[in-house]
């Protein structure tokens, strides 16, 4: 007979790695579309980012004297590196990927003590830190379906002279920001850019490596919901907040404020709503807390996109709300059986 | 159709593994060579041994007991000689040895005379409660709380008796078996309990996965007899030939409802079942009677019936002996006090897969150090698990705050927060998150993808908090004693001084009295 243990003796088979694998699977369609659209340079960047994420993780574990194998095999570092890669401009040089995964894994996760301990979403931390530190590399957006051959791609990813100019342009969000700043209205901006087509919903537009296909990301997200890996609270409240705010303002001034569909189909919104804001570690645990968190993310994204200095605010929004997660978790708690909302024992009917 | 039930938060659906034991007929275990009776009662105190080593005892004779309200008498389950009163390993979460009475049986099964009450409808509730207590009846669902004490609800208004047949733990089928074989005894027990409480309404709740039990109850309710030939029951068909002679006059069972509740763990938890059936929530630190409900296990009702109508003390019960580690899983009528080894041997012994011995179910059961331990009144199941059934030895990973535990918690606690605080010994914070509301059902533990033994952390934290409280109480007590001693010394000193002063005054007075003509000194 085995030594004494205490109940329960029975366990569900679902493990952390199974959850992570499902998230990776849900990300695959959007990733494949991104790689097809942006070609070899994107694939090089993706491999370098994910690979370096695993290396940084292994290095940290070695330094900390922890077992390397079980933690590497939980797929969490792979997922973090993957998400970092998806949020990078598709033709960014290799060292952007390596630096990004360093910030995400080392600064964003391992410094806090590893899996489950971090305050901020590692991928968004990397995205924002890179954007602030290397604004040129982080805002060089290339045209889809326009990738050069193997040799040129190698040069793009790993260094050398390459004339980007004929390949690049602005993202929809960036384009609008520029047009507005030059005093032009929305209809003029659309006309000069040729944006907002059905193809762009499937990803054929300029943007980050894995963020352009809103349809593929939403599809993956809905599958995660069905698989009960995530709950509806954060995606629904986040997207609903953006939709409500966008509708409200576009009704006020249709020339100045684009409508909800524009917001849903552009930038990092879908990736954030289903894959980033729903990160267990950095979002609140109670359903009500998650609703607040999602609404906060949505509102800040809308604020930054509409009035901020950056065309896209998803990374900032998530980091800001991450910092509020402990506060939300402290104040928003579910009502416990036999207690009222304030935690006092229920009063009996008829008793004083 | 709309569900007629309320829902409680969380819970989990489990693999039931019930067919292992439920498909075999009920068997009656032979008289064991030895009977072992731990004297510890609820509340941790030992009851007093009323026999000495060397004494002859008869079946049904009281061998231990006292007057404490949380303690009930213990009866010998067969005749024999008391051979030891010593410390032995007992089934208790502490893992400490407990004082036990040991009887070597003589195989004759000579019994004391019992007094039966044919018509309990004319007995006073107090009389019935006293009989239940004297018969040593406790809650057979697992908590072993004295039934007579639970039936004493003070001046609370009770409007519903719930008989809990919702066996929600995997593997366990003893209540299912009882209901299928002797539904009459449960219905009669219900009638007695209703009379004691003075309630008009009783619900017998079984899980929807126990259709045969519900059918047997419905049939018995309509006056039908249990399937013939009468199957052996824990109470009135022991091998000594005590027939089912004491069935009371036909009672109308029209006030008894039989309901099939959804099979979700832990529906069989007392508070959860009450919530499912009535929507009522028992306040924290309250008891079900506070919301007008008394809940008893169906096996307890059968024991109450035997105690009152047959005058038979609680000396045996149905135990499910099951699991992949047992050769012939089945339900057996076993004498309380039977060593587990003898029960397992009766069920064909261990298989090669036997890895761990558990008393109770896989979710809330108690891991036992050996099979020399006896079955006790609350032993509903002996589970011999293999390494699969105990989930293997999975390595715990860090918490990823996924919230699966909160979703599964039937009390709506936040187990992950309790875990952080319990783990880092921040006991005040753990209490602020209502650690003590945790019912240790194991749902959070079961669903945790990081395989963190949450309940183990919670139990340990509770233990440390209770230890600290006891230390604090001791310190407070010592301080009070010290202060009282100081005050007493002070008082004695003052009294001495006072006495000395009075004496002086008296002397002075006497002196002045002896000198007439002068007025007494004014006070």
């Amino acid at each position: 007979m085995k030594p004494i243990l205490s109940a329960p003796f029975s366990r569900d088979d679902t493990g952390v790695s199974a959850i992570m694998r499902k998230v990776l699977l849900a990300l695959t369609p959007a990733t494949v579309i991104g790689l097809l659209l942006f070609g070899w340079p994107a694939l090089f960047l993706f491999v370098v980012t994910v690979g370096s994420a695993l290396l940084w993780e292994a290095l940290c574990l070695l330094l900390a004297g922890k077992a390397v194998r079980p933690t590497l095999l939980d797929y969490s570092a792979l997922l973090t590196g993957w998400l970092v890669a998806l949020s990078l401009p598709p033709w960014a040089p290799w060292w952007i990927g390596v630096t990004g995964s360093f910030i995400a894994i080392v600064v964003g996760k391992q410094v806090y003590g590893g899996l489950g301990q971090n305050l901020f979403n590692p991928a968004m931390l990397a995205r924002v830190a890179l954007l602030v530190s290397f604004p040129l590399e982080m805002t060089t957006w290339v045209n889809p379906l326009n990738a050069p051959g193997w040799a040129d791609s190698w040069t793009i990813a790993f260094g050398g002279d390459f004339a980007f100019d004929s390949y690049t342009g602005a993202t929809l969000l960036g384009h609008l920001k520029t047009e507005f700043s030059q005093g032009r209205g929305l209809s003029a901006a659309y006309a000069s850019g040729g944006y907002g087509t059905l193809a762009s919903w499937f990803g054929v537009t300029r943007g980050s490596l894995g963020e352009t296909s809103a349809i593929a990301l939403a599809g993956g997200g809905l599958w995660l919901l069905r698989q009960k890996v995530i709950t509806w609270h954060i995606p629904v409240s986040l997207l609903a907040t953006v939709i409500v705010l966008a509708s409200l303002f576009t009704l006020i001034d249709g020339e100045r404020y684009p409508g909800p569909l524009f917001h849903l189909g552009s930038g990092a919104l879908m990736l954030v709503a289903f894959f980033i804001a729903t990160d267990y570690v950095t979002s609140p645990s109670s359903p009500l807390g998650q609703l607040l968190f999602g609404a906060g993310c949505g509102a800040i994204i809308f604020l930054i996109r509409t009035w901020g200095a950056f065309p896209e605010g998803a990374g900032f929004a998530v980091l800001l709300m991450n910092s509020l997660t402990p506060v939300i978790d402290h104040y928003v708690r579910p009502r416990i059986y036999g207690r009222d909302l304030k935690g006092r024992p229920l009063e009996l009917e008829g008793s004083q | 159709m709309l569900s007629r039930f309320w829902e409680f938060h969380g819970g989990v659906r489990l693999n039931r593994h019930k067919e292992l034991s439920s498909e075999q007929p009920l068997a009656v275990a032979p008289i064991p060579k030895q009977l072992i009776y731990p004297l510890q009662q609820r509340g941790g105190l030992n009851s007093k041994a009323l026999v000495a080593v060397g004494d002859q005892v008869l079946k049904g004779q009281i061998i231990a007991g006292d007057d404490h309200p949380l303690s009930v008498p213990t009866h010998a389950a067969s005749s024999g000689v008391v051979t030891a009163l010593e410390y032995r390993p007992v089934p208790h979460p502490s893992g400490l040895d407990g004082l036990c009475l040991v009887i070597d049986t003589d195989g004759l099964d000579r019994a004391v005379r019992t007094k039966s009450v044919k018509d309990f409808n004319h007995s006073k509730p107090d009389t019935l409660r006293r009989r239940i207590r004297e018969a040593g009846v406790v809650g057979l669902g697992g908590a072993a709380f004295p039934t007579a004490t639970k039936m004493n609800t003070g001046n609370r208004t009770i409007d519903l008796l719930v008989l809990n047949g919702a066996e929600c733990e995997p593997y366990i089928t003893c209540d299912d078996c009882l209901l299928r074989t002797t539904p009459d005894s449960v219905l009669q027990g219900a009638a007695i309990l209703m009379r004691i409480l003075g309630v008009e309404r009783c619900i017998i709740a079984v899980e929807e996965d126990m259709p045969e039990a519900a059918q047997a109850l419905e049939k018995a309710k309509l006056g039908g007899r249990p399937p013939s030939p009468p199957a052996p029951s824990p109470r009135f068909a022991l091998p000594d030939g005590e027939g089912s002679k004491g069935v009371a006059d036909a009672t109308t069972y029209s006030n008894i409802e039989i309901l099939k509740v959804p099979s979700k763990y832990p529906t069989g938890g007392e508070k959860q079942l009450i919530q499912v059936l009535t929507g009522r929530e028992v306040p924290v630190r309250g008891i079900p009677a506070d919301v007008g409900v008394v809940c008893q296990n169906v096996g307890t009702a059968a024991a109450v019936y035997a105690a009152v109508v047959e005058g038979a003390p609680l000396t045996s019960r149905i135990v499910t002996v099951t699991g992949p580690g047992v050769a012939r899983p089945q339900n057996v009528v076993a004498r309380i006090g039977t060593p587990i080894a003898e029960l397992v041997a009766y069920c064909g012994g261990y298989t090669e897969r036997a890895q761990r011995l558990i008393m109770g179910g896989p979710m809330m059961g108690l891991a036992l150090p050996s099979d020399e331990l006896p079955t006790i009144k609350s032993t509903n199941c002996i589970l011999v698990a293999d390494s699969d059934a105990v989930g293997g030895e999975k390595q715990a990973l860090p918490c990823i705050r996924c919230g699966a535990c909160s979703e599964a918690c039937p009390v709506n606690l936040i187990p992950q927060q309790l875990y952080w605080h319990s783990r880092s010994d921040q006991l005040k914070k753990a209490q602020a998150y209502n650690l003590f509301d945790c019912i240790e059902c194991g749902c959070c533990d079961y669903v945790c993808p990081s395989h963190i033994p949450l309940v183990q952390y919670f139990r340990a934290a509770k233990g440390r908090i209770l230890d600290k409280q006891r230390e604090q109480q001791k310190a407070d007590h010592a301080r009070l004693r010290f202060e009282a001693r100081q005050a007493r010394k002070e008082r004695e000193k003052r009294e001495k001084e006072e006495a000395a002063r009075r004496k002086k005054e008296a002397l002075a007075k006497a002196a002045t009295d002896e000198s007439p003509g002068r007025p007494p000194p004014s006070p």
Side-chain angles (χ1 to χ4, degrees), chain B residues 19-30 173 319-332 342-352 382 384:
Chain B
E19 66 294 338
L20 265 185
S21 54
S22 67
E23 280 164 14
Q24 310 305 318
L26 178 62
V28 178
T173 57
V319 178
T320 307
V321 184
T322 187
V326 177
R328 281 200 316 272
Q330 59 184 329
N331 279 294
V332 290
E342 293 205 35
L343 267 188
V344 174
Y346 176 70
C347 295
Y350 297 106
T351 66
E352 280 173 9
I382 297 297
V384 189

Side-chain angles (χ1 to χ4, degrees), chain A residues 2 4-12 14-16 115-116 280-281 283 285 329 335-339 345-346 348, chain B residues 271 275 281-282 284 355-356 362 365 367 389-390 399-402 411-412 416 434 437 445-446 449-450 452 459:
Chain A
K2 289 275 170 74
I4 293 272
L5 271 183
S6 74
F9 306 99
S10 184
R11 283 197 167 283
D12 196 17
T14 313
V16 172
L115 184 62
Y280 299 144
V281 178
S283 64
S285 62
D329 266 345
R335 186 183 72 80
I336 292 169
Y337 176 97
R339 292 182 184 272
L346 285 182
L348 294 169
Chain B
K271 290 177 177 176
Q275 197 174 6
E281 245 179 70
V282 181
V284 167
Q355 285 277 324
R356 188 169 277 129
V390 295
C399 168
I400 54 168
R401 289 176 33 93
C402 66
V411 187
N412 217 351
Q416 49 146 318
N434 299 303
D437 289 15
D445 219 316
Y446 178 84
S450 293
I452 300 168
R459 270 196 215 106

Side-chain angles (χ1 to χ4, degrees), chain B residues 420-436:
Chain B
W420 293 118
H421 297 316
S422 302
R423 199 178 108 124
S424 54
D425 219 28
Q426 295 174 306
L427 299 176
K428 283 234 171 70
K429 281 194 181 160
Q431 274 175 286
Y433 277 89
N434 299 303
L435 175 65
F436 279 92

Side-chain angles (χ1 to χ4, degrees), chain B residues 368-388:
Chain B
L368 299 179
S370 91
D371 60 5
E372 288 164 22
L373 276 68
T375 58
I376 54 178
K377 287 176 180 175
S378 61
T379 305
N380 48 8
C381 179
I382 297 297
L383 171 61
V384 189
D386 63 0
S387 51
D388 289 343

